Amino acid sequence: MRYLTALPLFWIMIAASRGGQWGAWMPSSISAFERTCVSIPCRFDFPDELRPAVVHGVWYFNSPYPKNYPPVVFKSRTHVVHESFQGRSRLLGDLGLRNCTLQLTHLSPELGGKYYFRADLGGYNQYTFSEHSTLDIINTPSIVVPPEVVAGTEVEISCMVPDNCPELHPTLSWLGHDGLGAPAVLGRMREDGGTWLQASLLHFVPTREANGHRLGCQVTFPNTTFQFEGYASLDIKYPPLIVEMNTSVEAIEGSQVSLLCGADSNPTSLLTWMRDGAVLREAVARSLALELEDLTPEEDGIYACLAENAYGQDNRTVGLSVMYAPWKPSVNGTVVAVEGEAVSILCSTQSNPDPILTIFKEKQILATVIYESQLLLELPAVTAEDDGEYWCVAENQYGQRASAFNISVEFAPVILLDSHCAAVRDMVQCVCAVKSNPEPAVAFELPSRNVTVNETEREFVYSERTGLVFTSILTLRGQVQAPPRVVCSARNLYGTKTLELPFQGANRLMWAKIGPVGAVVAFAILIAIVCYITQTRRKKNMTESPSFASGENPPVLFSSDFRIPGVPEKSESERRLGAERRLLGLRAEPPELDLSYAHVDLGKRPTKDSYTLTEELAEYAEIRVK
């Protein structure tokens, strides 16, 4: 297309082509608005040797062959035309000047079609040209949009309408262009085929928000009510922009969570969910959900959504925090240290949120931290009291876990102050209590007899361990009257300790051993003696009282002659003597002194001999009463 500023190329070609051949030149297609008019430019030629006096012509509709009786649009000889073209067609050109331009008015849709011209030079010199022009009857303007409109890149959109009616020229205006830019009207333009058009251009820089915007062009004709409108929706291409995304998500272990990502783009972008570079899910869609079921702590982390198309890409991330109870704390394990050394214990765990960590021993809190995953217990110089079992406890609002560990403090033996020797009935027991780690070797020395007995001799020494206290008990029989000196020695790899064991009184130790049973026995003896004295006095008073001598058969309250039938006679003195011997532990023959060593456990309950003694006391009391 170009502006009409010089002689039209169409007519130049016609003039240069005159050479005596049959031929016609007209636009292959032409358009016009309904109810307006159209002028179809036409030129024809014929051989030079033909010199007709008068040149006539005929326009046919939709067929070039007269034998097919096509509708006659215009006929210069008779002016007889088809009824569809009556009052609508006229010849604008001069056939003598080989100009066959045709004008049609009051256009209607049925007039759209092919138009053929036939030259009539008289006689047999008639020729129907195969060249033809196709008329298109329109009622909307044409809005021309580039094949690709990209956001951020300037674009030109044009509105073009045919202007082939000499009597009516169109006026163009834009609709819905607010915010897009100011239109520029270029005016009337001529096409290469010899037709004319009006054009208006609109320049602007599109944005993603303008995608789908409906832009219109309106055509009006002055001094008429004719008005035609055409619209086009803008298809603006732009890169993705993620517009929908979860914020940070918190979920409990074992639950289900859905992460959603939505992007605005044209064309639709490829959405991809990723974590640590691994693709979890992808699809070409406007939104994409990532479903995570039965959550585990391993799924805690950062998730990324990537949106991309041919014009760019965008990405965003979301943090997923899986809440769970602390794992079982991890500690150093059993620690062995020498007394005085520094010890550090690290307790660590994993949880979300971070836990409260506490280290305690025997319900005493030694160290604690809040919302930390590690706790360090430092003992600058361990002592024997630091030996034992410790617990590290981790807890948050979702649960609690604990781990135990031990600190073993090694130190030289310490002989405890409650170590001693004591007389127990006819034997002497020596107790040596030693606090030590590792376990000591304990020995009893009798310097006066140059004898040493250690705990390996189970026949004479009983040993047991409770925690860090190692107790050995040496039992000596028949040594009550002259107990020997006993020295306890304890030894381990850190040192040796010795102590001469003090001797405690026999009576005091015996009552301590008997305990409550001895108190009961003493009380029973006291009652028996009181009852015996009371009964003796009462019997004496009754014997001397005259009231008991009166009567034939006085009642007998007590008689020394009373016997149980079938029981051999036994003097009262003998019975009392036997009871007293049993009470006092006497025998018919005194026991032989056993100077050997035997095993005795002082920690047990009173022996059977103690209960036998109680029974004999009761029997003695009964005899006294009788």
Side-chain angles (χ1 to χ4, degrees):
M1 296 182 291
R2 57 182 175 82
Y3 292 104
L4 185 59
T5 57
L7 185 65
L9 177 62
F10 176 77
W11 301 115
I12 294 177
M13 293 175 60
I14 292 298
S17 63
R18 290 183 178 181
Q21 298 295 328
W22 291 101
W25 293 265
M26 64 186 72
S28 60
S29 63
I30 192 170
S31 59
F33 281 99
E34 186 179 0
R35 293 178 294 171
T36 63
C37 67
V38 64
S39 175
I40 304 175
C42 176
R43 295 288 292 180
F44 69 99
D45 199 7
F46 51 86
D48 291 339
E49 62 270 18
L50 298 178
R51 299 171 184 258
V54 179
V55 178
H56 290 280
V58 181
W59 281 94
Y60 292 113
F61 181 64
N62 280 339
S63 177
Y65 305 110
K67 63 180 181 180
N68 293 335
Y69 301 103
V72 176
V73 178
F74 175 81
K75 189 172 186 179
S76 61
R77 284 184 180 273
T78 61
H79 298 284
V80 177
V81 298
H82 189 271
E83 60 181 359
S84 300
F85 297 94
Q86 289 182 359
R88 293 182 170 184
S89 61
R90 66 189 181 99
L91 194 66
L92 294 182
D94 185 350
L95 296 179
L97 298 178
R98 306 182 185 189
N99 186 337
C100 53
T101 300
L102 174 69
Q103 178 178 338
L104 300 174
T105 61
H106 304 93
L107 296 176
S108 58
E110 66 271 13
L111 299 186
K114 298 177 180 180
Y115 288 83
Y116 296 87
F117 178 70
R118 179 181 177 83
D120 183 4
L121 305 183
Y124 294 102
N125 296 320
Q126 299 181 17
Y127 189 85
T128 301
F129 299 98
S130 60
E131 295 82 356
H132 62 278
S133 183
T134 301
L135 175 62
D136 183 23
I137 308 299
I138 62 175
N139 54 21
T140 57
S142 174
I143 299 178
V144 181
V145 180
E148 184 178 75
V149 179
V150 181
T153 303
E154 186 179 31
V155 66
E156 176 185 279
I157 298 179
S158 61
C159 177
M160 296 185 179
V161 296
D163 188 10
N164 296 306
C165 179
E167 300 171 359
L168 295 173
H169 296 286
T171 300
L172 304 180
S173 60
W174 287 95
L175 304 176
H177 69 287
D178 296 340
L180 297 180
V185 179
L186 294 181
R188 194 166 185 254
M189 302 177 63
R190 184 173 181 178
E191 299 178 288
D192 294 338
T195 58
W196 294 86
L197 57 82
Q198 284 276 5
S200 179
L201 304 180
L202 185 64
H203 290 266
F204 64 97
V205 177
T207 62
R208 67 173 60 241
E209 290 77 17
N211 183 48
H213 183 78
R214 198 161 180 257
L215 187 64
C217 180
Q218 185 180 75
V219 181
T220 58
F221 293 88
N223 302 320
T224 69
T225 59
F226 301 158
Q227 180 176 301
F228 303 93
E229 294 179 355
Y231 293 90
S233 293
L234 298 179
D235 183 18
I236 300 174
K237 310 296 183 182
Y238 53 91
L241 177 65
I242 296 178
V243 296
E244 185 178 13
M245 189 78 168
N246 301 77
T247 56
S248 296
V249 177
E250 289 187 357
I252 301 175
E253 181 180 12
S255 64
Q256 177 181 350
V257 70
S258 177
L259 304 180
L260 183 64
C261 176
D264 175 34
S265 66
N266 187 27
T268 303
S269 56
L270 173 66
L271 295 177
T272 305
W273 274 107
M274 305 178 68
R275 180 176 181 234
D276 297 333
V279 175
L280 303 178
R281 189 184 180 194
E282 63 179 3
V284 177
R286 296 192 178 277
S287 63
L288 183 65
L290 178 64
E291 301 289 343
L292 300 175
E293 299 180 352
D294 195 16
L295 286 174
T296 64
E298 287 73 19
E299 293 175 292
D300 186 287
I302 302 299
Y303 291 76
C305 176
L306 175 65
E308 57 183 339
N309 63 11
Y311 300 94
Q313 66 177 20
D314 189 22
N315 66 83
R316 287 180 60 185
T317 60
V318 58
L320 173 61
S321 182
V322 180
M323 318 302 284
Y324 57 97
W327 291 0
K328 185 179 178 68
S330 173
V331 293
N332 302 47
T334 299
V335 177
V336 178
V338 178
E339 187 175 20
E341 290 183 346
V343 171
S344 295
I345 301 294
L346 180 64
C347 174
S348 62
T349 186
Q350 182 176 329
S351 69
N352 194 11
D354 285 331
I356 298 175
L357 279 172
T358 305
I359 295 179
F360 66 90
K361 177 189 178 187
E362 298 175 353
K363 299 183 181 180
Q364 179 182 0
I365 296 176
L366 303 180
T368 186
V369 290
I370 299 176
Y371 306 138
E372 296 287 345
S373 61
Q374 292 184 341
L375 173 58
L376 181 64
L377 173 64
E378 293 184 314
L379 302 175
V382 293
T383 63
E385 286 69 25
D386 296 322
D387 189 284
E389 184 181 54
Y390 293 72
W391 284 89
C392 178
V393 179
E395 60 180 333
N396 62 13
Q397 60 265 44
Y398 300 103
Q400 180 188 85
R401 296 295 298 275
S403 293
F405 63 95
N406 290 281
I407 297 180
S408 179
V409 180
E410 296 186 344
F411 53 93
V414 177
I415 300 178
L416 303 182
L417 297 179
D418 56 353
S419 301
H420 64 276
C421 290
V424 180
R425 291 196 289 273
D426 61 344
M427 63 186 114
V428 173
Q429 288 186 332
C430 294
V431 179
C432 184
V434 181
K435 189 173 185 181
S436 172
N437 189 23
E439 183 176 299
V442 177
F444 294 93
E445 299 178 6
L446 282 67
S448 61
R449 300 185 183 182
N450 196 24
V451 175
T452 300
V453 182
N454 58 47
E455 76 274 10
T456 60
E457 300 181 56
R458 302 300 183 185
E459 183 180 357
F460 312 112
V461 179
Y462 169 76
S463 299
E464 67 177 5
R465 182 184 181 116
T466 304
L468 296 178
V469 177
F470 186 82
T471 303
S472 289
I473 303 175
L474 173 66
T475 302
L476 301 175
R477 291 189 178 274
Q479 303 296 309
V480 178
Q481 301 301 325
R485 289 175 54 230
V486 178
V487 177
C488 175
S489 66
R491 173 177 53 84
N492 66 10
L493 57 90
Y494 298 106
T496 302
K497 289 289 183 180
T498 61
L499 177 68
E500 182 174 344
L501 302 180
F503 186 82
Q504 297 181 354
N507 295 332
R508 182 162 57 89
L509 288 179
M510 181 186 68
W511 288 111
K513 178 66 177 179
I514 295 176
V517 175
V520 172
V521 171
F523 185 69
I525 293 174
L526 179 61
I527 293 177
I529 294 173
V530 171
C531 292
Y532 174 75
I533 295 173
T534 303
Q535 291 293 337
T536 302
R537 290 180 179 178
R538 184 178 298 172
K539 182 171 68 173
K540 181 178 181 181
N541 291 337
M542 286 189 298
T543 304
E544 296 176 354
S545 175
S547 62
F548 285 95
S550 62
E552 297 180 358
N553 297 311
V556 179
L557 300 178
F558 177 82
S559 174
S560 60
D561 297 331
F562 177 78
R563 299 289 185 270
I564 298 175
V567 178
E569 295 184 1
K570 187 175 183 181
S571 65
E572 182 178 348
S573 61
E574 292 177 351
R575 291 167 54 202
R576 184 178 297 115
L577 179 60
E580 290 175 352
R581 286 182 178 274
R582 289 193 301 272
L583 174 64
L584 299 177
L586 301 179
R587 301 291 188 271
E589 296 180 359
E592 296 180 359
L593 297 178
D594 183 4
L595 299 180
S596 63
Y597 306 103
H599 164 77
V600 175
D601 185 358
L602 294 180
K604 296 183 179 179
R605 298 180 59 184
T607 62
K608 184 177 184 300
D609 293 339
S610 300
Y611 291 103
T612 303
L613 178 62
T614 304
E615 295 171 358
E616 291 176 350
L617 287 173
E619 183 180 354
Y620 176 78
E622 180 182 0
I623 292 173
R624 292 296 188 186
V625 171
K626 291 181 179 179

